[in-house]
Amino acid sequence: MSPQPVRRNAPACSHCGEQAVIHQRYTGRYLCGTHLIADLECRVSDTIASQQQIMPGDCVAVALSGGKDSTALLLLLHRLFTFRSDVRLVAVTVDEGITGYREATVRSAVDLVRRLGIEHITVSFRELFGDSLDTFLKGRKPQACSVCGILRKKALVVGAERAGATKLATGHNLDDEAQSVLMNVLRGDLMRLVRNSGEDSDGLFIPRVKPLMYIHEKEIATYLMVQGIWPELPECPYAIHALRREVRSMLSGIEYRHPGTMLRLMENKKAVRTAFPGKTFGEPLGTCRECGDPCSGELCQFCQLRHSLLS
Ligand code: SF4
Ligand code: ZN
């Protein structure tokens, strides 16, 4: 819950004296709409440049679910690269087949790409895997997010390949990234904690980039709100089963009482990686014996899941 959107009797912006729309607790600043937009665009641009996430000649597949994070990501990238003829953006939407949820977000995605004039590719679980997530989850709802995550990752790669992409950008924000660090610690999965799909890919798959990885969820929501963009979307019905939901609520509480906690969690991951320069974390990547995709064991997660769904 940090930074906090400011509502009534808002203090003045730390830069211009206009009424603030957000209190950036970890920097101590209050920001008006104009300075929040400028701050976000500048920080995202810095992340992209410092990590060389997007380079001249890149075709970037932007994962667009139609929710807040991916909407903000596409808007930001469109703004940053709209006058760059050497970078191409293509939005990729995955329709998992979640009744009462995905229809609305897909509509929101279609509206956005039409407004921005960006090429759009949609892939669905039904087309790629033969049925909807709803059907795959019959009798296994508690595993919803792991099943969905593995299939969605595969579907996004197919979409990105169809777009001819050289990078795959996702809307993961600072809250998501800090939650992942903590979840990997809670699961005892230290290899996944330090592994970085982009850097450790060894050229085997399209590198994934996360331009919003240092932006708080609340900053993204306020960034959209001040521009009059507020997709009113339902919550995924399977979210209640997720460990992430519990971690999210715990971590937001800690961040509110101790601003900067999420950034410090991210620093831990970076510190471990920097302490072992050039080291490949986990088993070296090979290829799945069934589908040929890059993976660290004999079978990739997708093929393992395919077997368990069919059994
Ligand atoms: Fe998939 Fe879980 Fe997200 Fe729903 S909450 S879309 S099941 S990952
Ligand atoms: Zn496989």
Side-chain angles (χ1 to χ4, degrees):
M1 272 195 274
S2 170
Q4 288 296 90
V6 177
R7 290 202 173 89
R8 260 174 268 146
N9 304 323
C13 172
S14 309
H15 295 283
C16 70
E18 278 290 313
Q19 197 177 44
V21 293
I22 196 163
H23 182 201
Q24 212 175 45
R25 291 171 61 87
Y26 61 96
T27 63
R29 293 184 304 167
Y30 286 91
L31 297 175
C32 67
T34 309
H35 281 103
L36 172 69
I37 292 172
D39 183 66
L40 250 65
E41 290 180 357
C42 182
R43 283 159 57 206
V44 169
S45 176
D46 281 353
T47 302
I48 291 172
S50 66
Q51 299 187 10
Q52 302 189 323
Q53 292 185 342
I54 299 175
M55 304 293 282
D58 266 335
C59 169
V60 185
V62 185
L64 177 68
S65 69
K68 292 183 187 70
D69 298 327
S70 64
T71 295
L73 174 65
L74 192 63
L75 275 172
L76 277 153
L77 293 182
H78 178 252
R79 242 173 236 169
L80 295 174
F81 293 101
T82 197
F83 298 113
R84 290 270 303 268
S85 57
D86 56 347
V87 171
R88 185 173 145 236
L89 301 178
V90 182
V92 175
T93 299
V94 175
D95 181 355
E96 301 93 345
I98 305 175
T99 309
Y101 167 66
R102 195 40 99 204
E103 304 88 340
T105 54
V106 169
R107 267 198 307 277
S108 165
V110 169
D111 286 349
L112 182 68
V113 290
R114 280 204 189 127
R115 195 150 56 81
L116 299 178
I118 289 178
E119 193 185 331
H120 190 205
I121 289 176
T122 301
V123 288
S124 70
F125 279 13
R126 190 174 290 281
E127 173 212 343
L128 300 179
F129 313 126
D131 223 323
S132 65
L133 184 67
D134 285 340
T135 308
F136 291 137
L137 291 182
K138 282 193 180 127
R140 56 173 89 214
K141 283 188 185 165
Q143 301 154 33
C145 293
S146 35
V147 172
C148 177
I150 293 168
L151 296 181
R152 186 145 37 103
K153 211 185 224 175
K154 182 86 172 176
L156 269 177
V157 170
V158 172
E161 283 170 353
R162 286 184 187 169
T166 51
K167 298 281 168 60
L168 173 56
T170 61
H172 293 90
N173 60 42
L174 177 58
D175 298 51
D176 298 326
E177 291 299 290
Q179 286 157 19
S180 295
V181 171
L182 203 51
M183 282 167 69
N184 287 325
V185 171
L186 295 174
R187 287 186 183 126
D189 193 345
L190 290 179
M191 279 309 148
R192 190 172 287 185
L193 170 69
V194 289
R195 192 158 200 160
N196 180 327
S197 53
E199 287 170 33
D200 298 335
S201 67
D202 243 354
L204 288 171
F205 50 83
I206 302 174
R208 293 214 300 169
V209 297
K210 299 172 182 174
L212 305 184
M213 63 189 292
Y214 292 117
I215 310 290
H216 277 281
E217 188 179 300
K218 281 273 172 358
E219 292 176 297
I220 291 170
T222 315
Y223 172 80
L224 292 177
M225 223 177 337
V226 295
Q227 295 177 82
I229 302 163
W230 189 247
E232 280 293 349
L233 298 169
E235 193 185 12
C236 174
Y238 301 116
I240 49 164
H241 301 289
L243 166 65
R244 184 173 286 274
R245 194 182 166 106
E246 291 175 46
V247 170
R248 178 185 175 182
S249 132
M250 177 180 73
L251 201 49
S252 328
I254 300 175
E255 175 72 32
Y256 182 72
R257 291 184 297 278
H258 308 279
T261 297
M262 291 190 191
L263 279 169
R264 287 192 290 275
L265 266 173
M266 297 282 287
E267 286 304 317
N268 281 333
K269 175 174 169 172
K270 214 159 57 185
V272 177
R273 288 184 66 83
T274 342
F276 301 97
K279 178 171 169 45
T280 304
F281 292 93
E283 290 176 52
L285 282 179
T287 48
C288 170
R289 74 173 139 83
E290 290 196 1
C291 71
D293 272 6
C295 71
S296 49
E298 286 215 343
L299 272 187
C300 70
Q301 278 189 313
F302 171 73
C303 286
Q304 289 174 31
L305 177 66
R306 191 155 46 93
H307 287 294
S308 83
L309 287 177
L310 293 177
S311 64

